[in-house]
Structure formats: C-alpha cells, structure tokens
Amino acid sequence: MENLFAFVIGGLYATALFMMLRRSIVKLVIGLMILSNAANLLIL
C-alpha cells in the first residue's frame, strides 16, 4: 500500500511540474493546485 501511495504522489508531482512548464496561466494555476495537493499527501 505504501508503494502505491508513493507512486501516486510521484505522479502528482510530475503532473504538476509538467503543467507549470506550459505557457498558459490557467495551466500554471492548475499545476500549483496539484502541487499543493501532492505536498499535503506527502506530509500525511
């Protein structure tokens, strides 16, 4: 179960970084929201 949780968090971080590298401001904001959710899950 911990391995699955680690892969999900890693996937969220990768998705957030990919979204933040796009040129659109909307995708930047969505990437920041995903990044904050991933950080909260990592702390949990």
Side-chain angles (χ1 to χ4, degrees), residues 7-22 25-43:
F7 282 121
V8 168
I9 292 172
L12 283 174
Y13 270 107
T15 303
L17 289 176
F18 179 76
M19 294 285 281
M20 288 169 48
L21 290 175
R22 301 293 104 198
I25 191 74
V26 174
K27 289 186 180 182
L28 174 70
V29 171
I30 292 172
L32 285 173
M33 290 185 339
I34 293 173
L35 187 66
S36 66
N37 286 334
N40 285 334
L41 285 175
L42 184 64
I43 292 171

